Every structure is written in structure tokens, then in C-alpha cells.
Amino acid sequence: MSAEQVRLWAPDAEQVELVLGADGASRVPMAASGAGDGWWSVTADVGAHGGRYAVAVDGGDPVPDPRSRHQPDGVHAASALVDTDAFPWTDQGWGGVPLERAAVYELHVGTFTEAGTFDAAAERLGHLVELGVTVVELMPVAAFPGRHGWGYDGVALYAVHDAYGGPQGLARFVDTAHAAGLAVWLDVVYNHLGPSGNYLRQTGPYFTDRHHTPWGEAVNLDGPGSDEVRAHLLDNARMWLEDYHLDGLRLDAVHALHDERAVHLLEELAALADDLTARTGVPRSLVAESDRNDPATVSRRGPGGAGGLGLHGQWADDVHHALHVLLSGESQGYYGDFADPGAVPKVLGRTPFFHDGTPSTFRGRVHGRPVDLDVTEPWRFVASLQTHDQVGNRAVGDRLHHGIPAGRHAVGAALLLTAPWTPMLFMGEEWGASTPWQYFTDHEEEWLAQSIREGRQAEFAEHGWAGEVPDPQDAGTVAASTLRWSEVGEGEHAEMLAFYRALLHWRRDTPPQVRGTVGEVTRQPDGTGGEVLTVIRPGVALVARLGGEGEVAVPLPAGDDAALPAGDDVARPAGADLVAAFPAMAGEVAGDPLRLGPDSVVVVRR
């Protein structure tokens, strides 16, 4: 390998050394740039030392390069050089997937398959193509401590987690996905770093005590030295989108990015993505997780715009919360606000934000801002029935469908997938996976592991949980959370999969201006202790029954073309008006009224 230039930003250092080799036996002085910008550099033959290197500031211990592309021996060890230009890409004809055509599938590489690697996940992409999703959203893959973890405690933002397959594995996955017609988004965490292996403080002012987050000091976005901190994050986003050909980024908890500058970091990120889209013709989408319920997150930015941040999409957790309460009956904590009978009609019929300037009892104040859907397109809001957060942060990681009848799960899926918002599934949801998805870590430090164990047990006990919480450090917790692909074609799992597939194919084949339209949502008692929901939109109608006893007669939504066909297949026959039904329809269906049993749903074209 030829000599490489290694650079480090260390503005307060008096001396910086390049430490060569995994054993750190050789140290080479690095030179300050002379421009007073805090950058140091040196050219050295890193390849002659096994491709491993680290940096040392003011005679201190060697630490990984803050911009390391690979940590093959873990986040505490030396970095390794990676030439991303050498990846053998075959996706030169890839045209991308615009957000308005997205149906998103959230995937955790380590538990999506038993092997837990990019290559193993790539072998299952055919399942996703057949399912009808168009975007795979990978949970964080930036290097984190140990082998197993969710990825939200990443500490090497530029490095791809080695246990998943490292940089080459990610590149192969993206290339394979593009060949299959699937876009790939990546979840990135810019609001904090994990506690173990975070060496940024040893090289520069990456954090500030001027602001605080739930994880401690905030990332320094607006204080002294913050120009280079922002550049660190912007260059990271550019790396994922350019060097790894990713189609988008999901930005974790952007409300924890404290930035008092006139131009917010999020606006700069949006401009970066828009520039790349314009230069390549391949859409790059940035989707924010935000707790603010503020449409300005996705409003147009800059002169002549609406004064927003200009991101392309944002999560709409209120939709999840309203559906979760409707289907599960749970109303503790923040779910209490969504027990309002008007919550579901509001978030499915008029706006993605239940709290749009209305009182929030959980917060003890008014929350949110109204959304004008004539200005802000509905597809900019990403909604879900289940997510890694909403499943994994439960005491035992039970999925929504573990506590409700299969038919009720199907009602939730139909409500989500016929809504005007961009839908997102959590892996395994589509077949009603039997496996939970629990919180797991792999920290080397026993004090940290014990602190996490005790903290989670105390947190759930505080909310009334009397049982044991799975040990995050136990390998059995990871094993229990790994999908069982053998069950996909079995019984009720296969029926649920067929139902999801029919709805997703309808979305794929229906123009956004039809399926992306708000509509009328009604709820009424069924006379037997249950209730009937009706959703009517241009082009589609849904009738669902929750609970109750026996069969009840339910009128079909008005419309000359809404008659149901005969047939025993949940998939829509060619030219028929039935989109999907659960349970699958059997025999002749005698038009109007429809007779529905408890926890059942029918979706028809109008």
C-alpha cells in the first residue's frame, strides 16, 4: 500500500503523533497546518504496519481516528484504512426511490437473520421485494462496543460495524438492494455518542456544557470550535450518501440537536442532500425523528421558502400512539392523551399530529403546531404501527401483535397502509413474528453493564412492572430477538403476510394523489360491545370491526364501484374491487351489507 496522508483536528493540542501498527510500537510526529485551524497531518506508509493506525495527543494513550472508516478490532483499538473508491459497484443505472413512493421496512442487521450480517440480510431482500416495500431502513451501523447492540450507542461515526461485515459488507448490501429495486436508508445518530469508546473529547471540543440532553452534554453545534464539529457531521452524512450510495438518512431525535445559530445544522444537511440529488439525479431523502410536532421540520427552507428546515420527511409518532391505544387498550404514560375517541379519526383523517397546538396532559402544556396539507404533502410524514423504539423499549420487548388477536393486528395494518402518510414496518411485523425484540448490549465494562441492568429494572418497576426484565448483556436476549424465518409460511403467519402483501401492492400500484389524500373516518358501536370503523378516501374504503360478539351487518361505503367480488383469496383478483380482507374471504360474498365477525377488516376500491 502506498503512503497515506492522515489528518486530525486537535485545536488545543501542543503535540500530536501518528501511532502505527496494532501494537502501537511506532510513533511519528504530525505537523500543524500552520493556518491556525487546529488541523495536523502526516504522510506515512500505514500499510507497512498492517494497515492499522491510531493518534495520540500531547503524549497520551493512542485513540482511534475520529474519522476512522473501520474498527476491525473494536472501538477501543487501532483504526484501519479503507479505500471506498475501490468498491466494485454495479448500480450505475440506479434511479432511486422518491419519498412519495416509499414504503419503508425498518431492519436491524444483527437480528434480521441468524448470521446477523449484511450478506445474510441481502439474501432475504427477495422477501421484501415480493412484500411490496420500496425502502429498507437500516438501524445504525456505525461502530459500537462489542458485537451485539441496537447501534444507538455508536462511538465511531464513520466506521461500519465490523461484526455486520464492515465497509465492504455494507457496500455489497446496498449494491444488491439497488439491483433488486430497493432503496436503502440508514439511521444515523448525531445527537450523542455512547459512553464506552467515545474518545472525541481527547481530540477536540466536540461537546459542550452549554446545552444538555438525556445522554449528558450536548454535541457542540454552536459554541467555540463548532465549525469543525458541524463539518464532522456534514462530512459524515456526505460519506454515507456518496461513498456508500445510500438513498437517505433517518436522523435520530433531532430535537436533541441544540443549535442556536441562524442556519441550523439540519438546514445544512438538507442542502447537502438536495445538492447531491441535483448532481446525480438519484433522490436522497433525509427523514427526521422529531418530538416537536412542527411541520417547519419539512417546510421549504431559504429565500422564497416557508422558513423551514427543508428536510424531506419526519416521523409522525402520534399516528403510532393513536393506533396502539385503539388496538391494545393501553393508556398509561403518554398513551393517555391518545385514549381520546377523536384521536384515531384525527390522525387518520385530517392531520398526522394529534397534538397540533393542543394540550398534552403528559407534558403538562400545549404541544405542536397545525399542519396545512395543502402546503405540506402528506407523504412527508412517516407513520408506523410498530418500531424498534415502541417494541424494544417495552419491558420484555413484546410486539403489538403479541397481546391482541391476529384480526386486530390486521385492522391496524389496514388503517396504516391505507392512510395518506408514508408507512413504515418493523421487521417481522408483516407475518406477525413470534419473536420479541428486546434491548441488548455487549459492553466490556462490568460497571456499565450492571448500571444498565439496574437502570432498566428500576425504570419498569417505577411504571408498575413486577416481573424480571431481560438482561441486556445475556446472549440469550439477542437470540430471543432474532427473527425465525422458518415460520413465515406457516398458518396464521402466512395469512398475515398475504394480507400485508396485498395492501402494499395496492399502495405500489396506486398513484400518490389517490392514496395520499385525507378522508373521512368514523367510529361507532356495533351493538355487541365492539365498534366499527369506516374510512373513506378517494379511490379506497375500509370497513373494520374491533371486538364484539358474533357477526354484525355493516353497510359498505357508498359508491357504485365498491361491490365485493366472490373469491377465497385475500389477494386481489385481476380487475376485482377487493384489495384485501382479514380473515381471508371464503366463498360468495353477498354485497351490501357486509357481515363482519369480531376483529376483522375489508378494504375495497371505490
Side-chain angles (χ1 to χ4, degrees):
M1 184 181 293
S2 61
E4 299 280 349
Q5 184 183 58
V6 178
R7 302 177 73 234
L8 177 72
W9 181 62
D12 298 323
E14 295 183 1
Q15 172 192 347
V16 177
E17 296 170 297
L18 178 67
V19 183
L20 295 168
D23 58 2
S26 176
R27 294 196 176 204
V28 179
M30 298 178 71
S33 70
D37 57 6
W39 281 94
W40 301 70
S41 66
V42 68
T43 299
D45 188 356
V46 179
H49 296 266
R52 300 291 202 275
Y53 72 102
V55 293
V57 175
D58 292 335
D61 293 334
V63 298
D65 179 359
R67 294 191 177 216
S68 165
R69 297 292 182 98
H70 195 193
Q71 293 295 126
D73 303 312
V75 298
H76 303 287
S79 302
L81 292 174
V82 174
D83 182 7
T84 54
D85 291 336
F87 294 157
W89 294 100
T90 65
D91 65 348
Q92 290 78 11
W94 171 243
V97 175
L99 184 55
E100 59 266 34
R101 291 201 296 107
V104 187
Y105 190 92
E106 187 184 26
L107 180 161
H108 178 264
V109 175
T111 52
F112 186 59
T113 65
E114 187 173 352
T117 64
F118 293 119
D119 289 341
E123 293 176 2
R124 295 291 180 180
L125 290 177
H127 167 85
L128 302 185
V129 173
E130 186 178 358
L131 176 62
V133 298
T134 58
V135 176
V136 178
E137 181 180 304
L138 299 177
M139 289 176 59
V141 302
F144 55 84
R147 177 179 178 83
H148 304 294
W150 281 20
Y152 295 93
D153 54 356
V155 290
L157 298 186
Y158 283 71
V160 181
H161 193 54
D162 185 70
Y164 292 165
Q168 289 80 10
L170 175 59
R172 286 193 299 270
F173 179 87
V174 175
D175 201 46
T176 303
H178 287 174
L182 295 168
V184 184
W185 296 352
L186 176 65
D187 196 340
V188 294
V189 185
Y190 293 152
N191 51 58
H192 76 287
L193 275 74
S196 176
N198 177 7
Y199 296 105
L200 288 184
R201 285 184 177 84
Q202 298 187 27
T203 57
Y206 285 90
F207 301 92
T208 176
D209 59 5
R210 296 176 63 246
H211 308 291
H212 290 272
T213 75
W215 306 280
E217 289 185 339
V219 175
N220 178 24
L221 300 178
D222 56 9
S226 60
D227 286 353
E228 288 296 344
V229 177
R230 294 166 77 97
H232 188 80
L233 301 181
L234 290 163
D235 289 347
N236 181 259
R238 185 179 293 108
M239 178 196 74
W240 296 123
L241 297 175
E242 287 195 291
D243 295 353
Y244 289 96
H245 294 203
L246 286 160
D247 301 275
L249 303 175
R250 182 263 190 185
L251 307 172
D252 183 68
V254 299
H255 47 271
L257 293 171
H258 296 285
D259 184 1
E260 295 180 357
R261 293 199 190 194
V263 179
H264 198 284
L265 174 71
L266 294 175
E267 188 175 343
E268 292 192 81
L269 285 166
L272 183 156
D274 288 345
D275 176 68
L276 188 55
T277 296
R279 286 194 288 109
T280 65
V282 178
R284 261 52 174 220
S285 300
L286 299 188
V287 177
E289 179 198 21
S290 174
D291 187 48
R292 294 194 183 101
N293 277 25
D294 186 356
T297 304
V298 294
S299 297
R300 288 180 297 125
R301 69 180 193 280
L309 295 172
L311 296 175
H312 309 97
Q314 68 181 103
W315 277 24
D317 279 348
D318 283 12
V319 179
H320 168 275
H321 300 342
L323 289 174
H324 186 91
V325 173
L326 172 75
L327 301 171
S328 71
E330 294 181 0
S331 60
Q332 72 276 17
Y334 55 78
Y335 286 136
D337 287 350
F338 299 88
D340 185 321
V344 167
K346 184 174 182 179
V347 302
L348 293 183
R350 302 192 302 277
T351 173
F353 296 156
F354 176 65
H355 290 305
D356 55 358
T358 57
S360 166
T361 57
F362 177 73
R363 296 175 177 85
R365 58 173 174 81
V366 167
H367 184 64
R369 183 197 297 265
V371 180
D372 184 349
L373 293 176
D374 291 329
V375 176
T376 305
E377 301 91 337
W379 47 260
R380 294 193 182 278
F381 300 95
V382 178
S384 58
L385 195 61
Q386 304 185 53
T387 70
H388 75 273
D389 265 333
Q390 303 299 341
V391 175
N393 283 323
R394 295 172 68 83
V396 295
D398 50 317
R399 297 170 180 259
L400 171 66
H401 55 259
H402 290 166
I404 59 177
R408 190 164 294 204
H409 172 197
V411 171
L415 291 171
L416 173 71
L417 295 175
T418 58
W421 329 122
T422 293
M424 186 181 75
L425 280 57
F426 180 57
M427 62 177 197
E429 169 189 336
E430 72 274 19
W431 76 77
S434 66
T435 49
W437 203 73
Q438 300 170 340
Y439 183 73
F440 46 85
T441 57
D442 189 21
H443 291 298
E444 297 177 7
E445 303 91 342
E446 180 55 30
W447 67 267
L448 180 56
Q450 187 60 26
S451 175
I452 292 171
R453 290 188 193 102
E454 294 173 356
R456 287 184 66 80
Q457 190 72 44
E459 175 187 356
F460 290 112
E462 194 174 294
H463 290 88
W465 179 257
E468 285 294 317
V469 176
D471 182 356
Q473 289 281 121
D474 190 334
T477 304
V478 181
S481 302
T482 302
L483 290 177
R484 297 174 189 152
W485 285 90
S486 60
E487 67 188 17
V488 172
E490 298 175 352
E492 207 168 67
H493 295 299
E495 185 177 3
M496 187 63 69
L497 178 60
F499 182 71
Y500 266 84
R501 186 182 297 136
L503 288 167
L504 283 161
H505 284 205
W506 168 80
R507 286 193 66 91
R508 183 192 62 193
D509 299 337
T510 304
Q513 62 268 28
V514 174
R515 58 173 169 77
T517 307
V518 295
E520 178 185 349
V521 181
T522 60
R523 299 176 65 174
Q524 58 186 10
D526 70 356
T528 73
E531 70 170 303
V532 173
L533 280 82
T534 303
V535 181
I536 302 175
R537 307 187 196 282
V540 69
L542 175 154
V543 182
R545 184 175 174 220
L546 293 172
E549 298 179 5
E551 289 188 344
V552 297
V554 180
L556 285 170
D560 294 338
D561 58 351
L564 291 169
D568 58 0
D569 190 350
V570 76
R572 171 181 56 81
D577 294 323
L578 177 66
V579 174
F582 197 98
M585 295 207 165
E588 191 76 18
V589 178
D592 190 4
L594 179 66
R595 301 197 65 84
L596 289 180
D599 296 312
S600 56
V601 59
V602 174
V603 180
V604 296
R605 285 188 176 84
R606 295 181 68 244

